[in-house]
Amino acid sequence: RLYREYMKRGGKIQYLAQVNPSPEDMTTSIRQAVDAGAVGAFLLGNLADKWTREGAVGRVGEAVEIIKDRGVIAGIAGHEVRTPRAVDKAKIDVDFYVKTLHQDTYWSKRRPEQTAEVIDNYKTDNYWCRDCQETVAYFAKVKKPWIAYKVLAAGAIPVRDGFRYAFESGADFALVGMFDFQIDVDVTITRQLLASKLKRARAWMA
């Protein structure tokens, strides 16, 4: 409702919807997102990770096809690099990827005894990328837009440091949660970084 009102007032910001279909209902959340005005949608990272681990990559592909059938761009998110790798291997034709990325140089980083293979997003909130170097290496070969998220590790990494790491590591966009009073500062930092000489090897894909 708020987005539709914003557009009626002449708003120009476009948005991508994060969708969470279930095996029993693959269409409702996608239809709602498109009806609300989203220009694209991507599968929730928890779901894409879970379905990939379960060997149900075909279900990921089904969600992507349903999104595309609605006439918008389609992507998948994931906390684990094996998720985009599996999607690529299955030749699922996504338009973009949303993958976590942050460095492991902050004070509250994952401790050595935290060895669970899968991150529990609901119990641990200060790390989201267990495979940053592997992620960077993998996306160096990916020829589609990459949106990096969790780049500040839930606020544990300073904005300038997190944004620089994401862009220099090859991300084309940074997906960042923020309060309204943080927008001006974060946009200013982003503009400054993009206008500077970033040490970036990967070509911009968007």
Side-chain angles (χ1 to χ4, degrees), residues 81-150:
V81 73
R82 65 178 154 191
T83 299
R85 184 182 286 123
V87 167
D88 282 345
K89 185 176 180 180
K91 300 187 183 306
I92 297 171
D93 189 21
V94 297
D95 295 306
F96 62 93
Y97 291 95
V98 185
K99 170 65 179 73
T100 51
L101 181 72
H102 61 68
Q103 64 270 60
D104 290 329
T105 55
Y106 54 96
W107 67 275
S108 55
K109 67 181 180 179
R110 180 165 50 96
R111 300 185 302 275
E113 65 270 22
Q114 292 176 311
T115 57
E117 182 186 19
V118 179
I119 297 170
D120 187 335
N121 310 33
Y122 303 104
K123 291 183 178 179
T124 306
D125 66 358
N126 66 353
Y127 71 87
W128 303 85
C129 184
R130 298 177 66 247
D131 46 28
C132 57
Q133 295 303 320
E134 188 179 357
T135 294
V136 172
Y138 184 74
F139 276 94
K141 301 173 289 185
V142 173
K143 304 300 182 183
K144 294 183 179 182
W146 168 25
I147 303 171
Y149 72 123
K150 307 299 184 184

Side-chain angles (χ1 to χ4, degrees), residues 155-181:
I157 298 172
V159 174
R160 189 175 295 274
D161 293 347
F163 285 12
R164 178 180 291 279
Y165 181 79
F167 292 132
E168 290 192 336
S169 295
D172 300 295
F173 300 94
L175 170 59
V176 187
M178 64 187 80
F179 292 107
D180 55 357
F181 60 84

